[in-house]
């Protein structure tokens, strides 16, 4: 298994093994670089309540974003995405004002497939590109949220979806010598405990309805399936936790498990575990501060 690999090592392995993924990997690489910038943390709102009654912490968040930061990142991400496939109109649509960068950012952070569809149609694309790009676009801010909010997640969080962003787990991780089972989120890197015998999607606990597909020689990676809802989660054994920043790449690197599951008729839910609303508002304070800098500091 790919345990121990991280960041750059993962990217170069995937790049070698899957040349067809290069545009996607270029985008992920850009997101990983962006995630290292502390400036994203400034847009993370304080949350005072713990994630009670199954509500992810991002739910209802009002993010005061620096417009330049969002505009630059959205534009860069969509330029990379557009370079990967011809006739993807997003970079042009942004430049022409047919696609609003803040609306796109907001829909991506909320993980709202309907809004992403509406924005894609307005930009002139009906191939579902934004549904692929959206989660990557949201990674810098959602990882900043996860870093800030992890201490607020109650130890008793019992939902199958992520307590930070509400997405379904990308992976289940069996960790350490005691074999504790953790669910991991690809969008924000979230990490929460679950029971060994419990379907994350429908809550099924009956062992007669839960099973694992194991391929010979790779018992450390399985596909855990539920006969009640017919969904699956990929499960990996890890002596040390997968770095939050690497969960998305681990999800890609275990594509062979998805193929095994899909061939047997299991699926992943298409909608998020919990729908959330997020508002991204331009931060007036920072905008004014920048104007002040420009007017008093001369040419930049
Ligand atoms: Zn998450
Ligand atoms: Zn189930």
């Amino acid at each position: 298994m790919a345990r121990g690999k991280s960041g750059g090592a993962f990217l170069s392995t995937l790049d070698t093994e899957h040349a067809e993924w290069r545009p996607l990997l270029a985008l992920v690489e850009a997101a990983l670089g962006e995630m290292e910038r502390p400036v994203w943390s400034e847009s993370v709102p304080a949350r005072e309540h713990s994630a009670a009654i199954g509500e992810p912490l991002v739910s209802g968040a009002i993010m005061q974003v620096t417009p330049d930061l969002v505009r630059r990142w959205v534009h860069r991400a969509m330029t990379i995405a557009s370079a990967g496939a011809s006739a993807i109109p997003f970079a042009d649509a942004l430049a022409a004002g047919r696609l609003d960068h803040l609306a796109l950012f907001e829909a991506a952070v909320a993980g709202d497939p309907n809004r992403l569809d509406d924005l894609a149609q307005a930009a002139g694309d009906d191939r579902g590109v934004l549904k692929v790009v959206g989660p990557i676009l949201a990674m810098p801010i959602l990882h900043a949220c996860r870093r800030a909010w992890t201490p607020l997640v109650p130890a008793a969080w019992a939902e199958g979806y992520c307590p930070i962003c509400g997405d379904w787990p990308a992976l289940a991780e069996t960790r350490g010598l005691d074999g504790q089972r953790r669910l991991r989120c690809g969008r924000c890197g979230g990490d929460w405990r679950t029971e060994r015998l419990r379907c994350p999607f429908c809550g099924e606990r009956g062992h007669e309805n839960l099973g694992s597909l194991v391929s010979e020689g790779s018992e450390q990676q399985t596909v855990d399936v539920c006969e009640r809802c017919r969904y699956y989660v990929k499960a990996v054994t890890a002596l040390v936790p997968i770095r939050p920043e690497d969960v998305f790449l681990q999800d890609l690197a275990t594509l062979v498990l998805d193929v095994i599951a899909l061939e047997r008729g299991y699926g992943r839910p298409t909608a998020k575990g919990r729908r959330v609303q997020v508002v991204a508002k331009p931060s007036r304070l920072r905008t004014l501060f920048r104007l002040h800098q420009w007017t008093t500091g001369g040419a930049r």
Side-chain angles (χ1 to χ4, degrees), residues 199 201-204 226 228-230:
C199 170
F201 310 107
C202 75
E204 174 66 41
C226 173
R228 185 170 139 199
C229 66
R230 300 288 294 174

Side-chain angles (χ1 to χ4, degrees), residues 61-80:
I62 298 173
M63 297 178 174
Q64 305 273 347
V65 297
T66 310
D68 279 354
L69 177 72
V70 173
R71 186 180 299 113
R72 193 191 45 75
W73 165 235
V74 168
H75 194 267
R76 181 160 166 244
M78 297 319 295
T79 303
I80 295 171

Side-chain angles (χ1 to χ4, degrees), residues 142 146 162-167 185-190 192:
L142 286 181
R146 188 253 317 150
C162 175
I164 306 289
C165 76
D167 206 5
C185 175
R187 280 159 53 88
C188 75
W192 66 105

Side-chain angles (χ1 to χ4, degrees), residues 1-18 25 28-29 32 36 243 245-246 249-250 253:
M1 66 183 288
R3 186 182 69 227
K5 276 185 187 167
S6 65
F10 249 137
L11 276 167
S12 54
T13 304
L14 290 173
D15 191 66
T16 309
E17 291 176 359
H18 298 279
L25 295 176
V28 176
E29 187 172 19
L32 290 173
E36 288 178 6
R243 290 191 334 142
E245 297 78 6
D246 294 339
L249 289 171
Q250 269 280 13

